[in-house]
Amino acid sequence: MRVARAIQKLIDSFERLPGIGPKTAQRLTFYLLHVPQKQLDEFSEAVGGLKKNTKTCSLCFNVSETDPCPICSDPARDKTKICIVEQPLDIMAIEKAGFYYGLYHVLHGVINPLDNIGPEQLHIHDLLPRIKDAIITEIIIAANPTMEGEATSMYISKLIRQSSSMLITRIGRGLPTGADLEYADEITLTKSFEGRREY
Ligand SMILES: [Zn+2]
């Protein structure tokens, strides 16, 4: 039996999302067939506006409604520290835990040769103009404790060392190897920051 084209199109779109296999894609599509049209319109409007109505901060590369983002433009933040994270979601996790008041720098990924992702595809070199600011005293590398996260941390610290001798630290204690910052609970996250070691 041939599936209606509109159905197949949506199944294909769902399948392109991370963590969604063919079965889930089919299930979601057929579920949506029973949802009122108004709700579907709201859904498609939310998807359509996702990129149109957000901006990437030109300083830290966080995603928000304004550029600079609310964190970079907040005069109360501690501007002596920059915490490097893989994704904007990591900022959300750290902010929720509420122990860190410094600035951030979002890489938007990690170095991963298997996926052809090198430093050029990430916001790594954009860090250099930021650390020239004499006010910065510490760079905290909060990449995930995975193989790719470690390789990325190593690359970043070597890069910074070429032009600066500032304190570079790496979070880690309490976070199991292979863990994802985004899913760490607030206590673990706080401890891993408190126990950060010089890199
Ligand atoms: Zn920002």
Side-chain angles (χ1 to χ4, degrees):
M1 189 192 85
R2 255 192 69 153
V3 186
R5 244 177 298 171
I7 293 178
Q8 192 57 52
K9 228 172 133 176
L10 190 56
I11 293 176
D12 294 344
S13 298
F14 275 127
E15 261 199 77
R16 275 184 231 125
L17 300 176
I20 297 194
K23 284 268 176 247
T24 309
Q26 285 173 13
R27 207 152 35 82
L28 287 171
T29 303
F30 281 92
Y31 166 80
L32 287 175
L33 273 177
H34 300 286
V35 164
Q37 184 60 42
K38 187 174 171 287
Q39 216 176 309
L40 288 184
D41 291 342
E42 284 168 5
F43 183 59
S44 68
E45 210 182 292
V47 174
L50 185 65
K51 286 191 96 155
K52 273 187 246 163
N53 301 329
T54 50
K55 288 192 171 81
T56 303
C57 176
S58 52
L59 295 170
C60 73
F61 304 96
N62 186 15
V63 178
S64 78
E65 285 176 16
T66 54
D67 176 22
C69 73
I71 294 175
C72 286
S73 49
D74 182 353
R77 303 290 300 205
D78 174 3
K79 296 200 165 45
T80 65
K81 292 182 177 65
I82 295 181
C83 174
I84 302 175
V85 294
E86 291 180 16
Q87 300 291 352
L89 267 174
D90 300 327
I91 295 187
M92 278 171 70
I94 297 168
E95 287 295 298
K96 203 171 145 239
F99 58 86
Y100 178 74
Y101 302 103
L103 302 174
Y104 293 97
H105 188 89
V106 189
L107 301 173
H108 286 275
V110 272
I111 296 173
N112 188 347
L114 289 177
D115 284 342
N116 284 323
I117 299 174
E120 316 77 42
Q121 275 77 43
L122 307 168
H123 290 292
I124 290 183
H125 288 259
D126 297 308
L127 187 65
L128 295 178
R130 296 190 73 192
I131 60 167
K132 284 214 176 85
D133 192 342
I135 199 172
I136 309 277
T137 56
E138 183 181 358
I139 298 289
I140 304 164
I141 306 180
N144 289 329
T146 56
M147 245 163 68
E148 293 79 15
E150 283 309 324
T152 309
S153 304
M154 202 110 80
Y155 182 90
I156 292 172
S157 88
K158 269 190 193 154
L159 188 72
I160 298 173
R161 282 282 166 263
Q162 284 171 10
S163 61
S164 159
S165 56
M166 76 169 63
L167 177 64
I168 304 172
T169 56
R170 174 88 172 97
I171 67 153
R173 191 192 294 172
L175 284 174
T177 307
D180 209 323
L181 223 73
E182 183 195 331
Y183 301 114
D185 65 85
E186 288 160 29
I187 296 167
T188 311
L189 206 52
T190 309
K191 281 203 173 128
S192 73
F193 266 74
E194 282 169 356
R196 64 185 184 271
R197 56 192 154 73
E198 198 167 342
Y199 198 64

